[in-house]
């Protein structure tokens, strides 16, 4: 009886916190009134529009948090069972129905709320009342005249993907794809929000990306695990030592990113001089509650830890929604054109000395590089401690690849890649054609499979089995189809630069980072098929690898020739609006970019040909040694059988000759 009462109390507490989040958001909107709109030159749409938009936004944020948390819980902590498909593929299925049910219900709410926000948030940001958006023409204008309408379209589409996935399947890999979609949907309204423009918005945008991903995963898991406890199920995440360590690292990352966002939004003002500052300080204090909750769970104090975690999560979300209704001090700082597009000023032309000396950390790739190198080294050390060997060359290749990523994105090349098309092309070639070579030679998946122990026969699948399931999955096999990889790799050049996409994407920091990530990932896919150490779902024969390489050369050369010809200027409107302090000859810059594309496409491919030849030589050497060892052992009778066959053929020929008439011999 006491246990049932305790569960009911916990369920009621979670519901109460959700109500308080909605109430806090609505109170902030009501108190601000027109002060949220007029100071930043936006028309006031009326109190009702603001209240309805805020209410639906709070529902969308809470439902997205629960959706991501349930997906993550199903993937990393829920029960899974192996199933065998046709052939030898082994897949995993979610074996417990709690998380799938939560995903379905939360995703359904997320679909509805994000769909409504396509209209409501568009109206709110354009100063239109709810009555006016009833007109189809006004609604269409509101949806496509700003960034929020498009962002919520992406969010709604991601929520639909999650909902459909949870209804039609319980496959582990499908849930992993749904989790990626959910994170993309969660990020869409964030990157077009208050971190979109202004001085230092490049730092703020990257911090917001990491904070959103970590918050959705960590806080979403906290809410779902609390729901598990409230329904009589055991906590499957934070009572495990390794997950507690990951959670504490996540909490620390939330504090660091929130501090960066505080520094950005205050723009040098006192944190006590604005509502934004007070709310950010409150979020930092709330993260202390989250850390305390994690510590309590680690000490096996589950009810207390669950209460602290859920309270901290609710307060964190409430403060975040309230902050979207208040213009931060950053909005009122004088801003140059370069700061609007890039987040910083560019006072010198992109000469060689400038590119070498002008550094600006790219937080997104710096943090990714630190995590990738640390994880790789930890895996290599674990293997060596077991007495096994791991090639030092692979470790050097992986580390070199990520160091090059940091150099390219954080040096003057990365800093000036937005202002100069030639520098941008150099960065593009490095990320898509040069850096993937050492990365695929590092063999990170092979290392992970060796370093991570396989689960026992009757134990729950772990990271080792997750990687195997992904490698054997149909989506990854389809992605690694050589024709698809080749089409994406080559088509990205022509589709990006010979359409209006480039000029549009270059206006936003998040889009520039997305292009960089795309270049890198597509390059790893392409070169992974040719010289990658890791086993890919599809294998190319040796001669096919060589043909795969040479087939790309004409396309790169033709692309460079087009850029060097006297054609239309790519991104002309964007570059004209920059108003840089030095004179720019766009035609000459594009001609230089064409030369970089031509040389940058041919030289790395020749390097890969050399690497491929060396790999063939090593394989032949290993095969010869294996045959020699086999022969020396006396177990191989292939040569004796071959000689016996020759003797039989000789005897047969002699017999036939003897049977012929003398005149025909």
């Amino acid at each position: 009886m006491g246990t049932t009462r305790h569960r009911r109390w916990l369920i009621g507490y979670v519901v109460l916190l959700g109500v308080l989040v909605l109430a806090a958001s609505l109170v902030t909107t009501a108190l601000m009134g027109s002060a949220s709109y007029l100071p930043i030159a936006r028309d006031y749409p009326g109190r009702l529009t603001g209240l309805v938009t805020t209410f639906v936004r709070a529902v969308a944020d809470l439902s997205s948090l629960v959706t991501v948390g349930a997906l993550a819980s199903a993937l990393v902590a829920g029960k899974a069972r192996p199933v065998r498909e046709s052939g030898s593929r082994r897949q995993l299925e979610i074996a417990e129905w709690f998380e799938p049910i939560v995903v379905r219900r939360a995703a359904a709410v997320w679909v509805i709320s994000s769909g409504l926000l396509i209209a409501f948030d568009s109206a709110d940001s354009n100063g239109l009342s709810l009555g006016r958006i009833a007109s189809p023409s006004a609604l269409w204008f509101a949806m496509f005249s700003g960034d929020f309408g498009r962002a919520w379209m992406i969010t709604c589409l991601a929520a639909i993907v999650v909902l459909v996935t949870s209804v039609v399947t319980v496959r582990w890999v499908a849930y992993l794809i749904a989790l990626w979609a959910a994170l993309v949907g969660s990020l869409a309204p964030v990157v077009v929000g208050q971190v979109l423009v202004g001085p230092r918005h490049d730092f703020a945008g990257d911090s917001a990306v990491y904070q959103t991903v970590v918050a959705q995963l960590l806080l979403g898991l906290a809410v779902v695990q609390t729901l598990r406890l409230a329904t009589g199920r055991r906590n499957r995440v934070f009572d495990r030592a390794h997950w507690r360590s990951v959670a504490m690292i996540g909490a620390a990352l939330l504090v660091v990113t929130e501090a960066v966002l505080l520094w950005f939004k205050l723009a040098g003002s006192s944190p006590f001089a604005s509502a934004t500052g007070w709310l950010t300080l409150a979020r930092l204090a709330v993260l202390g509650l989250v850390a305390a909750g994690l510590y309590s769970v680690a000490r096996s104090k589950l009810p207390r830890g669950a209460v602290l975690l859920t309270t901290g999560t609710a307060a964190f979300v409430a403060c975040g929604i309230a902050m979207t209704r208040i213009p931060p001090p950053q909005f009122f700082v004088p801003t140059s054109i370069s700061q609007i597009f890039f987040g910083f000023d560019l006072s010198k032309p992109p000469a060689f000395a400038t590119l070498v000396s002008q550094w600006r950390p790219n937080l997104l790739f710096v943090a990714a590089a630190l995590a990738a190198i640390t994880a790789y080294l930890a895996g290599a050390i674990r293997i060596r401690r077991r007495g096994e060997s791991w090639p030092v060359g692979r470790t050097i290749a992986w580390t070199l690849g990520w160091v090059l990523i940091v150099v390219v994105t954080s040096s003057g090349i990365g800093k000036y890649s937005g202002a100069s098309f030639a520098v941008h092309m150099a960065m593009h070639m490095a990320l898509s054609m040069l850096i993937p070579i050492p990365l695929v030679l590092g063999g990170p998946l092979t290392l992970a499979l060796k370093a991570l122990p396989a689960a026992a026969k009757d134990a729950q699948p772990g990271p080792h089995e997750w990687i195997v399931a992904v490698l054997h999955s149909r989506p990854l096999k389809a992605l690694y189809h050589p024709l698809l990889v080749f089409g994406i790799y080559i088509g990205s050049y022509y589709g990006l630069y010979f359409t209006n996409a480039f000029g549009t994407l270059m206006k936003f920091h998040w889009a520039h980072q997305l292009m960089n990530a795309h270049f890198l990932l597509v390059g790893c896919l392409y070169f992974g098929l040719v010289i990658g150490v890791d086993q890919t779902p599809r294998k190319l024969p040796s001669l096919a690898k060589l043909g795969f390489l040479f087939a790309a050369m004409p396309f790169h050369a033709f692309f460079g020739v087009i850029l060097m010809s006297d054609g239309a200027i790519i991104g002309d409107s964007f570059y004209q609006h920059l108003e840089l302090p030095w004179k720019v000859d766009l035609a000459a810059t594009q001609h230089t970019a064409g030369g970089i594309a031509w040389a940058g496409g041919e030289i790395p491919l020749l390097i890969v040909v050399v690497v491929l030849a060396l790999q063939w030589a090593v394989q032949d050497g290993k095969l010869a040694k294996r045959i020699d060892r086999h022969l020396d052992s006396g177990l191989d009778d292939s040569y004796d059988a071959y000689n016996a066959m020759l003797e039989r053929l000789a005897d047969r020929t002699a017999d036939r000759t003897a049977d012929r008439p003398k005149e025909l011999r």
Side-chain angles (χ1 to χ4, degrees):
M1 187 70 177
T3 304
T4 303
R5 185 165 55 250
H6 171 71
R7 293 174 186 171
R8 290 177 179 175
W9 175 84
L10 197 55
I11 292 174
Y13 181 72
V14 173
V15 173
L16 176 62
L17 288 177
V19 173
L20 291 177
V21 170
L22 298 175
S25 306
L26 293 175
V27 168
T28 302
T29 302
L31 292 176
M32 291 299 297
S34 60
S36 298
Y37 304 85
L38 301 181
I40 55 176
R42 285 167 54 184
D43 294 333
Y44 182 46
R47 187 181 298 273
L48 179 61
T49 302
L51 290 174
V52 171
T53 301
T54 303
F55 176 82
V56 180
R57 173 66 184 269
V59 173
D61 285 356
L62 288 174
S63 58
S64 69
L65 187 76
V66 176
T67 301
V68 172
L71 287 170
S73 180
L75 289 169
V76 304
K79 290 184 178 180
R81 59 173 175 263
V83 294
R84 187 177 294 277
E85 291 184 341
S86 59
S88 60
R89 287 196 300 266
R90 290 178 60 85
Q91 289 297 304
L92 298 175
E93 284 187 349
I94 308 300
E96 189 176 7
W97 280 99
F98 177 78
E99 279 82 4
I101 291 175
V102 174
V103 170
R104 291 178 190 177
R105 295 176 179 177
V109 175
W110 194 19
V111 169
I112 297 172
S113 56
S114 59
L116 291 174
L117 283 171
I118 297 174
F120 292 163
D121 208 350
S122 299
D124 183 65
S125 59
N126 284 280
L128 302 176
S129 64
L130 296 181
R132 290 188 62 186
I133 63 171
S135 169
S137 58
L139 177 60
W140 185 265
F141 168 79
M143 288 169 52
F144 292 96
S145 62
D147 297 320
F148 287 104
R150 299 185 184 93
W152 287 114
M153 290 177 192
I154 295 174
T155 301
C156 185
L157 179 61
I160 292 173
V161 170
V162 175
L163 179 60
V164 172
T165 301
S166 65
V167 170
V168 302
T169 185
V170 289
R171 288 297 173 90
W172 192 91
V173 173
Y175 269 56
L176 180 63
I177 296 174
L179 177 61
W180 279 101
L183 291 175
V184 171
S186 301
L187 283 171
V190 172
V191 296
V192 300
Q194 295 179 348
V195 298
L196 183 61
V197 295
R200 300 181 294 274
H201 77 263
D202 53 330
F203 293 148
D206 292 345
S207 297
V209 168
Y210 277 117
Q211 184 184 82
T212 302
V213 172
V214 174
Q216 292 287 97
L217 292 172
L218 179 60
L219 303 184
L221 274 172
V223 172
V224 172
Q225 295 306 306
T226 303
L227 291 175
R228 288 188 63 90
L229 293 174
T231 55
R233 294 171 174 82
R234 65 182 293 267
N235 169 35
R236 291 190 178 277
V237 179
F238 301 118
D239 59 347
R240 303 180 183 180
H242 54 286
W243 289 120
R244 289 199 300 267
S245 301
V246 172
M248 295 306 295
I249 293 174
L253 186 58
L254 289 178
V255 172
V256 172
T257 53
E258 188 65 28
V260 174
L261 292 173
L262 175 64
W263 166 71
F264 163 73
K265 291 181 179 180
L266 293 183
S269 63
S270 171
F272 308 106
S274 63
T276 297
W278 280 106
L279 287 172
T280 306
L281 293 176
R283 275 163 64 99
L284 287 171
V286 160
L287 291 176
L289 282 180
V290 173
L294 292 172
Y295 179 78
S296 296
V297 171
R299 299 290 299 273
S300 300
K301 299 178 180 179
L302 294 181
R304 179 187 302 177
V307 169
L308 291 174
L309 277 172
T310 312
T311 303
T313 299
F316 187 84
V317 174
C319 292
I321 297 172
M323 290 172 66
T324 64
R325 310 300 305 177
I326 302 172
Q330 177 72 16
F331 279 14
F332 307 102
V333 175
T335 308
S336 65
I337 299 297
S338 294
Q339 290 175 337
I340 291 175
F341 287 128
F342 309 133
F344 48 85
D345 287 320
L346 298 169
S347 57
K348 299 179 180 180
F352 178 78
T354 304
L355 298 179
V356 172
S357 61
Q358 295 286 327
W359 284 67
R360 187 176 182 87
N362 188 311
L363 297 185
L364 186 71
F365 288 99
V366 168
L370 290 175
I373 293 174
T374 301
Y376 193 97
L377 293 178
I381 293 172
R382 174 179 289 188
I383 291 176
R384 291 186 176 275
R385 284 179 177 175
R386 292 204 306 252
E388 302 176 16
S389 62
W390 180 255
V392 177
R394 293 183 184 180
T395 304
I396 294 174
W398 179 259
T399 305
L400 175 63
W402 281 103
V403 169
L404 289 175
I405 289 174
V406 173
V407 171
V408 168
T409 57
S410 297
S411 67
I413 297 175
K415 186 175 181 179
Y416 279 83
S417 61
S420 171
F421 187 61
V423 178
H424 167 84
M425 189 56 61
M427 184 176 181
H428 178 171
M429 290 295 108
L431 289 174
S432 65
M433 302 207 66
L434 179 62
I435 295 175
I437 297 174
L439 289 181
V440 300
L441 292 176
L445 292 180
T446 304
L447 174 69
L449 289 174
K450 291 190 66 174
L452 296 171
K457 184 177 181 180
D458 297 328
Q460 282 295 305
H464 186 278
E465 288 70 31
W466 302 341
I467 297 174
V468 172
V470 172
L471 291 176
H472 291 174
S473 64
R474 291 180 178 178
L476 193 66
K477 186 175 181 179
L479 178 62
Y480 264 97
H481 194 287
L483 293 180
L484 178 61
V485 173
F486 188 84
I488 296 175
Y489 184 67
I490 298 299
S492 297
Y493 296 90
Y494 295 89
L496 175 63
Y497 295 109
F498 298 146
T499 64
N500 295 327
F502 176 76
T504 301
L505 294 176
M506 288 299 293
K507 298 176 183 178
F508 309 105
H509 175 72
W510 64 265
H512 199 180
Q513 295 285 61
L514 184 62
M515 281 192 291
N516 293 337
H518 171 79
F519 297 153
L520 184 63
L521 291 176
V522 172
C524 289
L525 280 176
Y526 181 79
F527 290 110
L529 276 174
V530 181
I531 59 171
V533 172
D534 294 324
Q535 293 294 325
T536 58
R538 292 179 184 269
K539 297 180 181 180
L540 289 177
S542 298
L543 291 179
K545 292 180 179 180
L546 196 59
F548 201 59
L549 282 175
F550 286 126
M553 288 186 176
F555 292 97
H556 286 292
F558 185 60
F559 174 74
V561 170
I562 295 176
L563 292 181
M564 296 173 69
S565 63
D566 296 329
I569 301 299
I570 297 174
D572 178 63
S573 177
F574 166 73
Y575 289 116
Q576 293 290 351
H577 281 87
L578 287 183
E579 298 182 3
L580 297 170
W582 67 85
K583 185 178 180 180
V584 179
D585 187 341
L586 295 180
T589 302
Q590 183 165 309
H591 188 274
T592 303
I596 293 173
W598 193 342
E602 304 300 326
I603 295 175
L605 289 180
L606 293 177
I607 295 175
V608 175
V609 170
V610 175
V611 173
L612 188 59
L614 292 175
Q615 287 181 341
W616 289 347
V618 172
Q619 291 174 359
D620 290 341
K622 289 181 178 179
L623 180 60
K625 291 180 179 179
R626 190 180 305 117
I627 293 175
D628 290 340
R629 287 196 301 266
H630 200 54
L631 291 174
D632 293 339
S633 65
L635 299 176
D636 194 298
D637 59 351
S638 58
Y639 286 113
D640 294 336
Y642 180 70
N643 291 330
M645 181 191 68
L646 292 180
E647 290 179 0
R648 289 195 300 270
L649 290 175
D651 293 341
R652 188 181 305 172
T653 302
D655 292 341
R656 289 179 180 176
T657 303
D659 293 339
R660 292 178 184 176
K662 292 182 178 181
E663 60 273 11
L664 296 177
R665 292 179 185 176

